[in-house]
Amino acid sequence: MENVHLAVEEDDLYSGYNDYNPTFDSEELENDVGFQQAVRTSHGRRPPVSIDFSVCPLFTALDGAARPMTAVRAAGYTSSLTRGSTFDPLGQSKGPAPPLEAKNEDTPEEKIKILEKKVNDLIEESCMAQSIGALQLALEKAKEAGRKERALVRQREQSGNADHINLDLTYSVLLNLANQYANNEMYPEALNSYQVIVKNKMFSNAGRLKVNMANIYFKQKNYPKAIKFYRMALDQISNTHKEMRIKIMQNIGVVFVRMGQYSDAITSFEHIMSESPNIRTGFNLILCYYAIGDRERMKKAFQKLISVPLGIDDEDKYIPTNDDTNSNMVIEAIKNDKLHQMERDLKVLAEKYIMTAAKLIAPAIETSFATGFDWCVDMVKSSQYVELANDLEINKAITYLRQKDFNQAVETLKTFEKKDSRVKSAAATNLSFLYFLEKDYDQADRYADLAMNADRYNPAALINKGNTVFVKQDYEKAAEFYKEALRNDSSCTEALYNLGLTYKRLNRLEEALDCFLKLHAILRNSAQVMYQLAHLYELLEDPQQAIEWLMQVISVTPTDPQALAKLGELHDGEGDKSQAFQYYYESFRYFPSNIDVIEWLGAYYIETQFCEKAIQYFERATLIQPTQVKWQLMVASCYRRSGNYQKALETYKDIHRKFPENVECLRFLVRLCTDMGLKEVQDYATKLKKVEKMKEIREQRVKSGREGSARGRREGREGSAGSADSGHSSSSTKGERLSAKMRSLPGSNEPYETSSPKELDASYVDPLGPQMERPKTGAKRRVEDDDFADEELGDDLLPE
């Protein structure tokens, strides 16, 4: 009991727990008397026994004396610090561990490992560069990896480790190099690299790379060799790799199609459809049957196509159906994940192939395309693509339109009025569009309303409604419909374009400019948008900005004669005649029938005293407008100004024969004959007096007719409506007025433009105003204010 300490009230019950019992200090065993005595006795020479000191300590050194085994005191705890050091189970008191020995990088093994790591890093960098499109950098890295790998092989040989060559690394280097050659379209080098791998028997499964070689031959249009290598690869791939074999056979079928060997292609495609059917192969099979004109097999192939399983989940899976919060969170998470996007893309691709195949074979499988469409619709209705049946019906209407059978198209579209809202809205939108093109605005308005009622969020319906309101000149209301269409679909370019035109009509030019600038940010290369921007800047009296935008139009459509003419007009307004002449001349070169351009060029040459060059332009104007006497007078005037009086006299005589009562022509004839001393001068002078007298009589009649008309209106206001005399007077007045008007008109052989021609100068002002709103007559046509960017029939209605 001497080692048992009873707790007293003054002692701390928990003191001493942090003190360390030296019994557990192995370093102090040399100083432990009990331990050393046991070692020296026979007990120390017994076989070692594993003792768990924490469970059953046999002895301890406590206050220098051995502790009996029957002690009730806990081992390792004491209220007083005994001899020994502090608790240090991890041996931290010894200080930090000695540093590791440095690797000797001069050894051959270390050099080989470092070189291998560099080669792997270069391969990885090459692949990463290729993934971001840096093909040239990827090729350089692949070549450097090849050089390092060859240096590695030489180093192994020098060190005597040639038997330990890393074949996997060599294979990776060669394969990556061949791929990068192919990506950079260096096909001979790629084929050589692939050949090195294929011929090396040490590389297992290298025969598969013959597929890559066949792909290169296909790109080079060496189809026989491509088929040869595809078949060699097919022979070296076992039947366990079924998917790989199917893909190779599909490639073989495509190559046969390119070669025009449809029977061989059909053999490959039929085998695939029997083993592992897929949408792409089914579509290719239909194309082959169509090429050889086999109606029955086309029908069978179409039925196989619509029965191909896609292996995707139903869309109902992604619709929350209960109040389970966890389930709804999962559905929300997977609703737009990569897998669902892939499923949607696959479904869209399948629908595209089915729609295209139906449109292709419908006219070929029956005597009429309508019957063929009906058969396709019936087949689709009984398949998993039942929702495509309505789209096929709409395509049937579009086919009628292409055949210019407008009535049948309208009748087909009208059958959708009792269908579900989506289809009804699409059909009504198309009907509104068609009636708008036919200028039947009432019907267009009615079907636009029907489309809106079926689907208020249909931007195409709102645009068509806005167009029908626009033509009624209710621009504020039209703008509201266009704005609503933009709220439903912010990327709807038609609505934004039409909204800009509407603001332009409302003279809200800044808002129109904002619309077209936004549209230009979406459609960077649209000549129509840039032309509207140029016109707006012209209206805002900023000709320099207008010129810059027109220059952008020219960069997109360099042969647009109207844009070139407008550039000439703007430069002319700025006083830059040389630039104006250049653009007017280019416009004339591309479209030599624009009378305004011809007139400006002729006036320019007259002003610069090159009357001979102006003659060709006025002669062309004469061909364009043969009843306009002023062009022929200008030709004669150019001859006269250039000193060719004989030619001028002949021209004036020719004009006189065509327009015998033209006063200006007779005056110039009298002047020329007088100057040249010709005898005809008296005849022309007599005719001139006669024509001038007739002109005076006509003017008097017109004047008296106007006075009689004014007097009749005055008497009608003053007299009684029921007086017979008044009625008779009014009738006679109307008769006199009508006869005066009839007499004032020129005779049957007299042209309407008989007034003297204006003296044309370089600052000629077009009487018709700026040519912004005139359509182009070239291959393309500009959209003017009155030309709506009408809503197209839509991608869902006009698939590719």
Side-chain angles (χ1 to χ4, degrees):
M1 295 293 290
E2 61 181 8
N3 292 328
V4 177
H5 299 277
L6 298 176
V8 294
E9 294 182 359
E10 291 80 9
D11 291 342
D12 186 2
L13 294 177
Y14 300 101
S15 63
Y17 286 156
N18 292 328
D19 297 337
Y20 175 63
N21 191 332
T23 303
F24 300 102
D25 189 1
S26 60
E27 294 180 358
E28 296 295 328
L29 291 178
E30 293 180 359
N31 301 323
D32 192 329
V33 178
F35 179 77
Q36 294 297 329
Q37 184 180 358
V39 170
R40 285 194 295 269
T41 61
S42 60
H43 178 79
R45 291 190 290 271
R46 294 177 183 178
V49 179
S50 61
I51 301 174
D52 188 351
F53 289 94
S54 64
V55 177
C56 182
L58 296 178
F59 48 82
T60 182
L62 187 61
D63 296 334
R67 188 168 68 89
M69 294 180 59
T70 58
V72 295
R73 183 178 178 182
Y77 300 102
T78 179
S79 59
S80 61
L81 182 64
T82 58
R83 63 182 170 84
S85 61
T86 59
F87 183 68
D88 185 17
L90 299 178
Q92 295 178 0
S93 60
K94 296 180 181 180
L100 297 175
E101 295 182 3
K103 285 187 178 181
N104 186 5
E105 296 183 359
D106 294 333
T107 62
E109 292 78 7
E110 289 299 325
K111 288 182 179 179
I112 289 171
K113 286 182 180 179
I114 294 171
L115 204 52
E116 278 188 353
K117 187 176 185 305
K118 287 182 180 179
V119 173
N120 281 313
D121 290 342
L122 285 170
I123 294 174
E124 186 175 348
E125 290 174 9
S126 175
C127 295
M128 293 300 294
Q130 187 260 334
S131 67
I132 62 174
L135 301 181
Q136 190 63 37
L137 177 62
L139 179 59
E140 292 299 325
K141 294 288 184 182
K143 288 180 178 179
E144 188 176 353
R147 290 192 291 269
K148 296 280 186 185
E149 194 273 335
R150 287 192 293 273
L152 175 62
V153 172
R154 286 195 298 270
Q155 192 160 348
R156 282 186 183 277
E157 291 175 350
Q158 291 172 2
S159 63
N161 294 326
D163 296 337
H164 298 85
I165 293 177
N166 192 341
L167 289 177
D168 292 338
L169 185 62
T170 305
Y171 183 88
S172 301
V173 169
L174 291 174
L175 178 60
N176 182 58
L177 181 61
N179 288 339
Q180 301 309 330
Y181 275 133
N183 291 333
N184 284 271
E185 297 183 358
M186 300 170 66
Y187 297 132
E189 292 86 350
L191 288 171
N192 290 336
S193 299
Y194 283 127
Q195 201 71 33
V196 170
I197 301 174
V198 170
K199 287 185 176 181
N200 194 331
K201 301 298 182 182
M202 300 177 67
F203 296 137
S204 60
N205 297 323
R208 293 186 179 187
L209 295 181
K210 291 182 179 178
V211 175
N212 295 15
M213 299 174 72
N215 290 340
I216 292 176
Y217 285 124
F218 179 81
K219 291 177 182 177
Q220 292 178 331
K221 298 185 178 181
N222 190 350
Y223 299 131
K225 238 183 178 173
I227 289 177
K228 175 184 175 183
F229 274 83
Y230 278 134
R231 285 177 169 167
M232 289 169 65
L234 196 64
D235 293 338
Q236 295 186 14
I237 295 175
S238 63
N239 292 328
T240 56
H241 300 89
K242 182 179 178 181
E243 187 175 352
M244 174 71 77
R245 292 179 61 85
I246 289 295
K247 288 181 178 180
I248 294 174
M249 291 193 69
Q250 188 166 337
N251 287 0
I252 292 173
V254 171
V255 177
F256 277 130
V257 170
R258 291 294 182 92
M259 296 174 67
Q261 299 179 17
Y262 300 112
S263 299
D264 295 327
I266 288 171
T267 303
S268 296
F269 292 144
E270 283 181 342
H271 176 75
I272 296 172
M273 291 301 288
S274 62
E275 293 290 330
S276 177
N278 61 78
I279 290 291
R280 195 182 299 273
T281 304
F283 180 73
N284 289 341
L285 185 59
I286 291 175
L287 292 180
C288 292
Y289 287 144
Y290 180 83
I292 63 175
D294 194 330
R295 293 185 177 183
E296 292 303 321
R297 294 169 86 181
M298 269 190 274
K299 288 183 178 182
K300 292 179 180 178
F302 185 77
Q303 290 173 337
K304 287 183 180 179
L305 178 65
I306 61 178
S307 62
V308 171
L310 295 180
I312 61 178
D313 293 328
D314 191 12
E315 287 294 326
D316 295 339
K317 171 185 175 181
Y318 302 99
I319 301 175
T321 56
N322 51 31
D323 297 332
D324 187 356
T325 306
N326 294 333
S327 176
N328 292 342
M329 289 177 64
V330 171
I331 291 173
E332 191 66 28
I334 67 174
K335 184 183 294 184
N336 201 34
D337 63 353
K338 295 290 185 182
L339 178 60
H340 192 202
Q341 291 176 11
M342 186 186 71
E343 290 177 346
R344 282 201 300 263
D345 293 341
L346 181 59
K347 187 175 181 182
V348 169
L349 181 66
E351 291 177 352
K352 175 186 174 183
Y353 281 142
I354 291 169
M355 291 288 292
T356 307
K359 290 190 293 182
L360 177 70
I361 68 172
I365 58 178
E366 299 291 346
T367 54
S368 67
F369 90 93
T371 310
F373 258 110
D374 292 338
W375 182 87
C376 291
V377 169
D378 293 339
M379 291 296 104
V380 169
K381 283 181 179 179
S382 61
S383 71
Q384 56 183 324
Y385 304 98
V386 63
E387 66 274 6
L388 289 181
N390 292 323
D391 293 338
L392 276 174
E393 289 280 4
I394 292 177
N395 273 282
K396 180 180 176 182
I398 295 171
T399 308
Y400 277 125
L401 283 177
R402 288 174 178 158
Q403 295 180 352
K404 303 187 185 303
D405 195 344
F406 180 79
N407 294 329
Q408 282 292 336
V410 171
E411 290 300 322
T412 304
L413 290 173
K414 284 182 178 179
T415 59
F416 290 94
E417 292 185 16
K418 296 182 180 179
K419 296 288 182 72
D420 62 74
S421 59
R422 185 189 71 84
V423 180
K424 183 195 295 185
S425 179
T429 300
N430 287 350
L431 282 169
S432 176
F433 175 76
L434 294 174
Y435 281 121
F436 188 88
L437 293 181
E438 291 288 313
K439 300 189 185 304
D440 189 349
Y441 300 126
D442 292 334
Q443 286 289 343
D445 186 57
R446 185 172 80 84
Y447 279 102
D449 288 333
L450 184 63
M452 288 168 53
N453 293 334
D455 183 5
R456 184 71 187 189
Y457 297 98
N458 183 357
L462 291 165
I463 290 173
N464 288 343
K465 178 64 177 177
N467 291 349
T468 58
V469 176
F470 187 100
V471 296
K472 296 175 183 176
Q473 299 184 359
D474 190 351
Y475 302 124
E476 293 287 353
K477 196 172 181 181
E480 290 302 320
F481 283 114
Y482 296 142
K483 288 178 185 176
E484 187 177 353
L486 284 171
R487 285 194 294 270
N488 293 339
D489 183 5
S490 58
S491 63
C492 185
T493 55
E494 293 87 356
L496 191 56
Y497 188 96
N498 289 355
L499 182 61
L501 294 181
T502 307
Y503 284 143
K504 193 173 166 187
R505 286 295 180 91
L506 291 169
N507 204 31
R508 292 155 62 175
L509 301 181
E510 293 293 342
E511 294 177 68
L513 187 65
D514 184 55
C515 288
F516 284 113
L517 286 173
K518 288 179 181 177
L519 196 57
H520 177 66
I522 301 172
L523 307 174
R524 302 295 300 179
N525 295 321
S526 174
Q528 300 172 348
V529 175
M530 290 186 283
Y531 191 91
Q532 291 294 342
L533 285 167
H535 190 203
L536 284 169
Y537 277 115
E538 184 187 13
L539 295 175
L540 291 168
E541 299 180 355
D542 190 350
Q544 290 301 324
Q545 282 287 341
I547 289 173
E548 288 184 14
W549 282 105
L550 281 173
M551 291 298 294
Q552 293 191 42
V553 174
I554 295 302
S555 67
V556 176
T557 56
T559 59
D560 185 348
Q562 285 296 115
L564 290 166
K566 192 62 190 176
L567 269 171
E569 180 186 332
L570 290 172
H571 281 293
D572 188 23
E574 291 292 294
D576 192 347
K577 299 290 184 184
S578 60
Q579 281 289 346
F581 170 75
Q582 177 184 347
Y583 288 116
Y584 271 122
Y585 182 78
E586 286 296 306
S587 176
F588 174 79
R589 193 163 65 88
Y590 289 119
F591 181 51
S593 299
N594 190 330
I595 201 69
D596 304 305
V597 174
I598 292 171
E599 191 169 7
W600 191 94
L601 287 170
Y604 174 81
Y605 280 119
I606 289 175
E607 185 192 17
T608 54
Q609 305 298 322
F610 290 101
C611 299
E612 302 89 349
K613 292 186 177 180
I615 292 173
Q616 60 173 325
Y617 296 104
F618 291 125
E619 285 179 342
R620 182 169 289 276
T622 302
L623 295 174
I624 297 169
Q625 295 179 344
T627 60
Q628 295 276 357
V629 69
K630 67 176 182 179
W631 306 122
Q632 300 182 46
L633 288 172
M634 289 305 299
V635 172
S637 176
C638 289
Y639 281 125
R640 180 172 55 82
R641 294 188 183 192
S642 61
N644 194 346
Y645 297 111
Q646 187 62 38
K647 190 68 176 176
L649 180 63
E650 293 176 1
T651 305
Y652 279 125
K653 287 181 178 180
D654 185 56
I655 296 170
H656 178 63
R657 282 193 297 271
K658 295 177 182 177
F659 307 97
E661 295 184 3
N662 186 274
V663 176
E664 286 74 16
C665 179
L666 287 169
R667 285 175 183 168
F668 282 115
L669 279 171
V670 171
R671 186 184 300 177
L672 275 175
C673 290
T674 301
D675 294 343
M676 297 174 70
L678 300 178
K679 299 178 181 179
E680 297 98 326
V681 63
Q682 192 61 39
D683 295 336
Y684 292 128
T686 304
K687 291 180 180 179
L688 178 61
K689 290 179 181 179
K690 183 178 178 181
V691 171
E692 286 178 343
K693 188 174 181 180
M694 290 176 63
K695 186 178 180 181
E696 290 177 3
I697 293 171
R698 288 197 187 97
E699 290 175 355
Q700 289 176 1
R701 287 175 178 172
V702 171
K703 186 178 180 181
S704 62
R706 290 174 181 170
E707 291 175 353
S709 175
R711 186 169 56 254
R713 287 195 298 270
R714 188 166 56 252
E715 290 175 354
R717 286 194 299 269
E718 295 173 355
S720 172
S723 171
D725 293 337
S726 176
H728 177 72
S729 175
S730 178
S731 298
S732 64
T733 303
K734 288 182 180 177
E736 290 174 0
R737 188 161 65 248
L738 182 61
S739 63
K741 286 185 178 180
M742 293 295 291
R743 287 193 298 272
S744 68
L745 294 174
S748 59
N749 295 326
E750 183 179 1
Y752 284 95
E753 289 78 15
T754 57
S755 58
S756 60
K758 296 180 181 179
E759 283 295 314
L760 299 176
D761 56 7
S763 60
Y764 173 74
V765 179
D766 185 3
L768 296 178
Q771 301 298 305
M772 294 295 292
E773 307 302 329
R774 291 191 179 184
K776 295 186 288 187
T777 56
K780 295 184 178 179
R781 183 178 183 275
R782 187 186 305 113
V783 175
E784 281 78 31
D785 280 352
D786 293 330
D787 281 332
F788 294 99
D790 294 310
E791 180 65 16
E792 296 294 334
L793 295 184
D795 290 340
D796 55 331
L797 307 179
L798 271 177
E800 297 178 2

